[in-house]
Amino acid sequence: MFAVKLLKNKQYPLEIQEGIQLKNGDMVIVLTDKGEEAAKSYLVPPAVEEILKKKKIPSIPLIRVMTEEDMLVYQEIMEMENQGYKDCLALIKQHNLQMNLTECKYTFDKRKVTFYYTAPERVDFRELLKDLTKVFRRVRIDLKHIGVRDETSLCCGNGLCGRPFCCCTFKRQFDSINIKLAHDQSMPITPSKISGTCGRLLCCLNYEHENYIETAKEMIPIGSGVMTTEGVGRVCALNILTNSLSVKFSDGKIKEFKNNEVEMLDSDVNIDIDISSSGYKYSSLQQSDDSDNIDIKEYEDDKNSSTGNI
């Protein structure tokens, strides 16, 4: 099986007609719902081929392998996209529109140009469209409003982990993300550490959340009285990763014990502790200076996070 990657690096199997010889890495022209597009083909590993078949991802027709003449056209199109981006950006500034231009894409047949943009609110671009038709003649113009997560997936880049963005490698749909996910995993509630390039909470906060919840269910709850080798105390925090508890004693000292090293008491222990809203270690304590006076709700998903309009 051969496939190509289009916008957001999404993989599509190729429908190859008889008589066409294709090699790994060949530049090809394919037919999509947008029209003819140029892409680089690659040989799909057997394991990935099984996944693509299981997900029933529709194949797209291969028109032909690109010739030398096609490559010249391809270079011309990339220059047109670069210039088209600059022209559209200038017109946006001229009309003083509150929209951020993300990308300009031409189809290979030059019959359609698509401008992807983000905007905080709905934009009246009727006058802009009139001016665009004067600059881009004999071509269909499409203005697509996308979300900030979609924008990041188009632009690509590396995340805090040092790896390419999830949204432009394997992630196809955006899950809803809220600040509770960070609380539950004892993440420092600091925007620079729990938000991505898109300005929203990290997609990866969802990946291990279920494991944290299941592990916490098997641990002694916060606020419980426990008997330890150091005496009677009260659980004030959980450390999910090390499967340990922080126990506060009557003298104010806090020590850490493994979950299986303490015994839960039926009676209440009269020791004051600061129980956080999430119940996990440091969730209310690991704050940083750059989180002061910042509304963390601004980093949660909203209507402008993702539109799926790509």
Side-chain angles (χ1 to χ4, degrees):
M1 176 187 285
F2 283 89
V4 292
K5 292 181 179 179
L6 301 177
L7 279 180
K8 294 180 66 173
N9 283 321
K10 188 173 183 179
Q11 302 178 84
Y12 292 91
L14 284 176
E15 181 183 320
I16 306 174
Q17 299 177 359
E18 292 185 10
I20 297 181
Q21 299 297 322
L22 192 61
K23 301 189 298 295
N24 185 45
D26 281 346
M27 292 295 294
V28 297
I29 298 176
V30 296
L31 183 61
T32 70
D33 55 354
K34 297 180 179 66
E36 294 182 0
E37 295 189 61
K40 186 176 183 179
S41 66
Y42 64 94
L43 187 61
V44 178
V48 178
E49 181 176 348
E50 290 182 11
I51 294 174
L52 293 177
K53 289 180 178 179
K54 186 177 181 180
K55 291 185 176 181
K56 297 181 180 180
I57 297 179
S59 59
I60 56 178
L62 169 66
I63 298 177
R64 65 179 181 275
V65 178
M66 290 179 66
T67 62
E68 292 184 5
E69 289 79 9
D70 288 330
M71 290 301 297
L72 293 175
V73 174
Y74 183 54
Q75 292 292 332
E76 181 185 351
I77 288 175
M78 288 193 290
E79 293 176 3
M80 291 171 61
E81 289 176 344
N82 185 43
Q83 185 59 47
Y85 181 92
K86 294 178 181 178
D87 292 340
C88 184
L89 189 61
L91 289 173
I92 290 173
K93 292 181 178 179
Q94 178 181 320
H95 289 279
N96 195 28
L97 297 175
Q98 297 300 311
M99 55 190 290
N100 179 46
L101 186 62
T102 301
E103 192 165 355
C104 168
K105 295 290 292 184
Y106 270 93
T107 55
F108 190 79
D109 53 18
K110 303 179 185 177
R111 294 181 178 178
K112 181 180 179 181
V113 59
T114 303
F115 296 100
Y116 297 95
Y117 71 94
T118 61
E121 301 293 339
R122 186 173 180 177
V123 178
D124 183 0
F125 49 70
R126 287 174 293 183
E127 294 302 319
L128 170 65
L129 190 57
K130 289 179 182 178
D131 288 342
L132 287 173
T133 55
K134 298 176 183 177
V135 178
F136 300 90
R137 297 180 178 275
R138 298 179 182 178
V139 60
R140 179 184 170 186
I141 301 171
D142 197 3
L143 288 162
K144 282 190 175 291
H145 179 209
I146 61 176
V148 289
R149 287 192 185 276
D150 300 314
E151 179 183 36
T152 303
S153 67
L154 280 179
C155 296
C156 300
N158 290 339
L160 295 173
C161 59
R163 297 178 61 84
F165 294 145
C166 298
C167 57
C168 61
T169 49
F170 65 89
K171 196 170 186 63
R172 297 291 163 251
Q173 293 182 334
F174 294 107
D175 302 315
S176 178
I177 303 176
N178 57 60
I179 195 60
K180 185 179 182 298
L181 298 175
H183 276 297
D184 288 349
Q185 297 172 65
S186 306
M187 297 286 288
I189 309 305
T190 305
S192 61
K193 295 183 179 180
I194 60 173
S195 63
T197 305
C198 58
R200 297 295 187 268
L201 295 175
L202 293 166
C203 291
C204 54
L205 289 176
N206 259 322
Y207 298 168
E208 298 179 356
H209 181 250
E210 185 176 346
N211 292 336
Y212 275 82
I213 298 300
E214 291 303 316
T215 302
K217 289 179 181 178
E218 299 176 0
M219 300 181 72
I220 298 175
I222 283 188
S224 303
V226 292
M227 174 62 74
T228 74
T229 56
E230 303 287 332
V232 175
R234 193 177 180 194
V235 178
C236 62
L238 305 182
N239 192 332
I240 303 297
L241 293 179
T242 59
N243 196 33
S244 61
L245 315 167
S246 291
V247 179
K248 185 176 182 180
F249 297 95
S250 56
D251 60 1
K253 292 183 179 179
I254 297 177
K255 292 188 177 181
E256 194 163 299
F257 299 88
K258 290 293 184 181
N259 189 52
N260 58 4
E261 292 177 346
V262 302
E263 182 181 349
M264 186 173 175
L265 301 177
D266 293 332
S267 58
D268 292 333
V269 176
N270 189 23
I271 298 176
D272 292 332
I273 61 172
D274 179 20
I275 300 180
S276 66
S277 58
S278 70
Y280 295 145
K281 187 175 182 181
Y282 305 140
S283 59
S284 65
L285 302 179
Q286 278 192 335
Q287 302 285 346
S288 181
D289 291 340
D290 64 349
S291 65
D292 292 344
N293 302 320
I294 292 179
D295 182 8
I296 200 67
K297 289 289 184 180
E298 296 178 0
Y299 295 84
E300 295 186 346
D301 282 343
D302 57 23
K303 63 180 180 180
N304 287 313
S305 295
S306 177
T307 62
N309 200 18
I310 299 181

